[in-house]
């Protein structure tokens, strides 16, 4: 809008107001008996009504700034009034009146510009504030969805600490099988890999409309699941010994009746009967696990995983208030039939997590299964925990497990630990850290892999075959790693070797790992050609504890005595099994004569 239009609009607004005496010209001259007054008060009277109404539409936007300008204008008017009083005279008064009129016109012309400028400034500031708020809101959402591990890594980087050393210090202060709640949720791991927006998607607005459900740690309940009701399963505390609490699941009468129906449905060999049973009892654990196996065989992986999660949710809702998943001091006896469903549900969920690409979460569930019965390990998760530790890059946990359990569990006699532990030490030596620690890790890795190759020579050739690596002429032609090493080993060891090579061969395909393995293979061949006593001992006694000296400290006589006792018990149990296998029970004589004419002594 131009200045002329603003002046015209201002004139129309002033014309609508009631004219004052000064505007009608009735006070043109001074009255006799009164002091001569300058036109400045008339000017103030002229501006008074304008300020009382709305003389400028921009004043509605910036009321505070216009009030400041009015105060400044009033001060300028007072100074002009003092100048006119010192000048005196009618002519001078007329001249000052004209100049004041011109000044007022200039002020009127400049005032819209100032108000327009003032009105535009807060708009720009508001836009900037909105943009800042929007960007800050997005940053806050991303930071809220960011996992705690990334924040810890940033803090460690700023402090100059390596993540592995800091993680090792935290892990050493906790129990070995300590389970963290946040690592039981696979979404946290997927967020670290792909970001929160890619994982959650449109789930956040839907969660606001979700009805109230019980919060659990093992699984997150879904909206598509039926409403949960009590199933008849309860957990009881059996006893507490040496700080370890022993629990057990119990089936009430109504659950036992459903269990009998489930057994009838299994005997019918028709999965539809199990589906009908689940429609009546949607949280029957055994039916959910059995139907999950059926869906897995039909290659419906999503439905199979959903059924296992629902079974875990049903079991977790029946936990005892004292039962803790994270303490590592709660035990369940696998020999009791009511407890087996929980073990199987955890193991099936673990396998689905590993296939889904969440090795860190799968490792946490593996630790949970092992903590429920660490002495017996009914599901043999020790054959799997090393692979999950390497995939999740939890090298410190694997080495700590080997060091603490080797004295009483003989982990070095398992081919998976014999090869995975030196591989973990090698990966630790490749990370950033203090040079003494790195050199010590390299020495341990070299010594342990050489002992593993001497103890299990049948692992090398299948491992190279799975990695599509052709060995050199010396290794291929040497009889120590030849076909005889694979044929001469027991069937059980052959099975363990096949399981390890088939599961972990992808971890050995790295060029640096292969170069390190090649160096140690040639070193082992040099030891074999030199007829090292260690090689001869392994050939004469394959079950000898070769790796024991690496993890035992000097003077640890108690660990050595416990190890000897454990080996003696193992030999005694093997002898008892052989003796029981050779015993033949004589059946009582049958009565071939149905009439009963035979004589009995």
């Amino acid at each position: 809008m131009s200045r002329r239009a603003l002046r015209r609009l201002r004139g129309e607004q002033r014309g609508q107001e009631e004219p004052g005496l000064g505007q009608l010209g009735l006070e043109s001259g001074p009255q006799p008996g009164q002091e001569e007054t300058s036109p400045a008060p008339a000017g103030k009277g002229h501006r008074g009504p304008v300020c009382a109404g709305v003389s400028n539409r921009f004043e509605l936007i910036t009321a505070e700034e216009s009030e400041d300008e009015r105060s400044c204008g009033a001060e300028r008017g007072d100074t002009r009034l003092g100048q006119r009083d010192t000048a005196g005279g009618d002519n001078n008064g007329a001249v000052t009146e004209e100049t004041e009129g011109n000044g007022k016109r200039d002020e009127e012309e400049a005032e819209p510009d100032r108000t327009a400028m003032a009105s535009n400034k807060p708009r720009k500031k508001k836009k900037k504030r909105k943009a800042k708020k929007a960007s800050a809101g997005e940053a806050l959402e991303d930071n809220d969805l960011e996992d705690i591990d990334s924040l810890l890594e940033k803090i460690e980087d700023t402090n100059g600490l390596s993540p592995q050393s800091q993680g090792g210090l935290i892990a050493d202060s906790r129990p070995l099988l300590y389970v963290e709640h946040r690592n039981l949720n696979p979404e946290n791991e997927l967020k670290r890999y792909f970001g929160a927006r890619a994982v959650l998607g449109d789930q956040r607005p839907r969660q606001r409309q979700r009805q109230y459900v019980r919060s659990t740690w093992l699984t997150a309940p879904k909206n598509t699941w039926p409403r949960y009701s009590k199933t008849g399963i309860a957990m009881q505390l059996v006893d507490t010994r040496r700080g370890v609490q022993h629990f057990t699941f119990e089936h009430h009468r109504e659950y036992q009746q459903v269990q009998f129906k489930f057994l009838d449905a299994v005997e019918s060999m028709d999965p539809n009967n199990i589906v009908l049973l689940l429609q009546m009892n949607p949280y029957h654990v055994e039916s959910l696990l059995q139907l999950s196996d059926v869906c897995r065989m039909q290659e419906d992986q999503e439905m199979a995983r959903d059924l296992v999660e629902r079974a875990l949710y049903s079991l977790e809702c029946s936990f005892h208030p004292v039962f803790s998943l994270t303490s590592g001091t709660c035990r369940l006896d696998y020999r009791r039939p009511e407890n087996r469903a929980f073990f199987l549900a955890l193991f099936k969920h673990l396998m689905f997590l590993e296939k889904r690409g969440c090795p860190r979460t799968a490792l946490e569930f593996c630790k949970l299964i092992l903590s429920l019965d660490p002495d017996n390990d009914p599901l043999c998760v020790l054959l799997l925990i090393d692979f999950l530790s390497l995939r999740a890059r939890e090298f410190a946990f694997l080495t700590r497990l080997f060091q603490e359990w080797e004295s009483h569990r003989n982990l070095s006699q398992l081919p998976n630990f014999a090869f995975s532990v030196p591989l973990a030490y090698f990966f630790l030596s490749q990370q950033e850290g203090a040079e003494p620690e790195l050199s010590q890790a390299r020495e341990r890795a070299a010594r342990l892999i050489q002992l593993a190759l001497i103890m299990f020579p049948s692992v090398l050739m299948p491992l190279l075959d799975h990695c599509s690596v052709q060995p050199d002429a010396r290794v291929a032609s040497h009889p120590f790693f030849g076909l005889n090493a694979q044929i001469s080993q027991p069937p059980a060891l052959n099975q363990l070797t096949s399981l390890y090579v088939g599961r972990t061969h992808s971890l050995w395909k790295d060029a640096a790992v292969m170069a390190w393995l090649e160096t140690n293979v040639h070193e082992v061949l040099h030891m074999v050609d030199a007829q090292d006593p260690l090689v001869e001992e392994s050939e004469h006694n394959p079950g000898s504890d070769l790796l024991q000296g690496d993890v035992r400290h000097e003077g640890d006589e108690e660990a050595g005595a416990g190890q000897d006792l454990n080996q003696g018990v193992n030999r005694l149990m093997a002898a008892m099994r052989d003796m029981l296998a050779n015993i033949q029970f004589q059946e009582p004589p049958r009565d071939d004569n149905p009439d009963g004419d035979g004589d009995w002594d």
Side-chain angles (χ1 to χ4, degrees):
M1 186 178 292
S2 62
R3 297 180 181 178
R4 185 175 300 173
L6 287 172
R7 287 198 300 271
R8 188 177 300 171
L9 179 61
R10 188 182 295 275
E12 291 175 359
Q13 290 178 354
R14 291 173 181 170
Q16 294 175 1
E17 297 169 357
E18 295 181 359
L21 295 175
Q23 294 177 358
L24 294 176
L26 298 177
E27 297 178 358
S28 59
Q31 298 293 332
Q34 295 180 358
E35 294 180 1
E36 183 179 358
T37 60
S38 64
K44 284 186 179 181
H46 176 70
R47 292 177 63 88
V50 177
C51 294
V54 180
S55 62
N56 187 3
R57 63 180 60 185
F58 296 104
E59 292 177 1
L60 295 175
I61 302 176
T62 57
E64 296 178 357
E65 295 184 2
S66 61
E67 290 176 1
D68 296 337
E69 291 176 357
R70 288 171 190 163
S71 62
C72 295
E75 292 176 0
R76 288 194 297 269
D78 294 337
T79 54
R80 289 173 183 170
L81 177 61
Q83 293 176 0
R84 285 192 293 271
D85 289 337
T86 55
D90 295 335
N91 296 329
N92 294 333
V95 174
T96 55
E97 186 176 359
E98 292 178 359
T99 57
E100 185 180 0
N102 295 332
K104 281 193 287 184
R105 289 177 184 176
D106 295 336
E107 289 177 3
E108 289 176 359
E109 292 177 359
E111 185 177 1
D113 295 338
R114 289 194 298 269
T115 55
M117 294 283 289
S119 63
N120 289 333
K121 287 180 180 178
R123 289 180 183 177
K124 293 181 180 178
K125 291 180 180 178
K126 288 180 181 178
K127 291 181 180 179
K128 291 181 180 179
R129 289 173 183 173
K130 289 181 180 179
K132 289 181 180 179
K133 287 181 180 179
S135 61
E138 294 177 356
L140 287 174
E141 289 180 0
D142 295 339
N143 292 334
D144 292 339
L145 296 172
E146 208 174 27
D147 196 55
I148 302 176
D149 289 342
S150 59
L151 298 177
L152 291 176
E153 290 178 0
K154 292 179 181 178
I155 295 173
E156 290 161 3
D157 293 339
T158 56
N159 293 335
L161 297 176
S162 62
Q164 190 64 40
S165 62
Q166 187 74 8
L169 293 175
I170 295 175
D172 291 338
S173 62
R174 296 175 178 177
L176 178 63
L177 299 179
Y178 179 81
V179 178
E180 297 183 8
H181 280 148
R182 61 189 178 91
N183 290 329
L184 293 174
N185 189 359
E187 289 187 357
N188 294 334
E189 186 173 2
L190 293 175
K191 288 175 188 176
R192 291 198 297 268
Y193 296 153
F194 307 106
R197 296 183 182 275
V199 175
L200 296 179
D202 299 333
Q203 294 182 10
R204 280 174 289 179
R206 293 179 183 175
Q207 289 180 356
R208 299 175 183 174
Q209 302 175 359
R210 188 180 67 184
Q211 59 183 356
Y212 172 76
V213 291
R214 180 176 178 178
S215 60
T216 54
W217 293 110
L218 296 178
T219 57
K222 300 179 181 178
N223 297 329
T224 57
W225 291 358
R227 185 181 181 89
Y228 177 78
S229 60
K230 292 185 178 180
T231 58
I233 302 179
M235 179 183 281
Q236 299 295 332
L237 176 62
V238 179
D239 59 352
T240 302
R241 297 190 300 268
R242 298 179 180 179
V244 177
Q245 299 170 336
H246 296 264
F247 296 87
T248 182
F249 284 99
E250 291 183 354
H251 293 172
H252 296 168
R253 184 175 298 275
E254 57 271 16
Y255 194 88
Q256 292 177 2
Q257 295 176 356
V258 179
Q259 191 77 4
F260 289 136
K261 295 180 182 179
F262 164 72
L263 295 176
D264 294 337
V266 172
E267 290 180 357
S268 66
M269 304 296 292
D270 188 3
N272 295 323
N273 294 331
I274 302 178
V275 174
L276 294 176
L277 182 62
L278 282 175
Q279 290 179 357
M280 301 298 297
N281 305 275
Y283 285 96
H284 183 253
V285 178
E286 282 78 5
S287 299
L288 290 170
L289 296 178
Q290 188 67 31
L291 189 60
S292 174
D293 292 338
V294 174
C295 294
R296 180 175 55 83
M297 289 185 289
Q298 294 177 355
E299 297 183 356
D300 191 356
Q301 303 293 332
E302 187 67 24
M303 179 59 67
R305 181 166 58 88
D306 186 78
L307 293 172
V308 171
E309 291 178 357
R310 200 197 302 182
L312 283 176
Y313 177 73
S314 176
L315 290 168
E316 188 174 1
C317 290
S318 61
F319 278 177
H320 193 274
V322 186
F323 185 81
S324 175
L325 295 172
T326 60
S327 63
T329 58
C330 298
R331 302 288 185 264
L332 285 174
D333 190 0
Y334 183 79
R335 294 173 296 180
R336 188 177 177 89
E338 291 84 352
N339 298 335
R340 294 178 184 174
F342 186 54
F343 281 90
L344 295 178
L346 288 174
F347 187 79
K348 292 177 185 292
H349 188 56
L350 180 152
M351 299 306 296
F352 281 119
L353 288 173
E354 195 274 328
K355 293 179 181 178
R356 194 180 176 185
C358 301
R360 184 65 185 86
T361 311
L363 174 63
E364 211 69 14
F365 275 91
C366 191
K367 291 162 60 177
L368 175 60
I369 295 174
L370 190 59
S371 67
L372 295 177
D373 195 357
D375 296 331
N376 299 318
D377 189 17
L379 299 183
C380 298
V381 293
L382 283 176
L383 302 177
L384 183 66
I385 195 169
D386 61 304
F387 168 66
L388 296 176
S389 301
L390 291 175
R391 280 202 59 192
R393 303 186 66 82
E394 292 292 328
F395 310 127
F397 167 75
L398 181 57
T399 55
R400 182 188 174 192
L401 175 65
F402 181 74
Q403 292 175 0
E404 293 187 9
W405 283 28
E406 170 63 16
S407 60
H408 65 281
R409 295 298 295 269
N410 289 335
L411 297 180
S412 59
Q413 308 300 315
L414 296 174
N416 59 319
F417 273 94
F419 281 87
S420 294
V421 172
L423 184 60
Y425 277 117
F426 173 75
F427 285 137
L428 287 175
S429 66
Q430 301 297 315
Q431 296 180 352
E432 296 180 357
E435 185 60 30
E437 296 179 358
L438 297 180
S439 61
Q440 185 179 6
R442 282 193 292 268
E443 292 176 0
R444 285 187 177 182
R447 182 167 61 254
L448 288 176
I449 193 61
Q450 293 173 14
L451 293 174
L453 289 170
I454 294 173
M455 196 169 182
F456 303 103
S458 60
V459 177
L460 180 62
M461 288 303 177
L463 181 61
L464 296 179
D465 188 19
H466 279 75
C467 295
S468 302
V469 175
Q470 185 69 25
D472 56 8
R474 184 189 178 190
V475 177
S477 61
H478 204 283
F480 187 76
F481 295 112
L483 186 61
N484 188 23
Q486 302 179 20
I487 297 175
S488 61
Q489 66 182 1
L493 182 57
N494 189 15
Q495 184 68 24
L496 293 177
T497 301
S498 301
L499 287 174
Y500 176 74
V501 172
R503 183 180 291 139
T504 61
H505 66 89
S506 60
L507 301 174
W508 294 82
K509 288 184 176 181
D510 188 40
V513 175
M514 274 297 166
W516 167 72
L517 179 62
E518 182 182 5
T519 303
N520 290 280
V521 166
H522 286 286
E523 185 66 26
V524 169
L525 291 180
H526 178 72
M527 295 171 63
V528 171
D529 296 337
Q531 296 181 355
D532 192 275
L534 193 61
V535 179
E536 295 180 357
E537 183 181 358
S538 66
E539 291 178 354
H540 291 88
N541 188 10
S544 62
D545 192 8
L546 299 178
L547 305 184
Q548 194 69 23
D550 183 74
V551 295
R552 285 186 184 175
H553 299 285
E554 295 181 359
D556 194 359
E557 297 178 356
E558 295 180 358
Q563 176 64 25
D564 296 338
L565 179 61
N566 192 11
Q567 291 180 357
V569 172
N570 291 336
R571 296 191 189 98
L572 180 60
M573 293 299 295
M576 290 291 293
R577 284 194 295 267
D578 295 339
M579 183 179 66
L580 292 176
N582 294 328
I583 294 177
Q584 296 180 358
F585 295 96
Q586 186 176 2
E587 296 181 359
R590 296 182 179 179
D591 189 6
D592 297 334
N593 189 3
D595 296 335
D597 295 337
D599 296 333
W600 290 88
D601 294 334

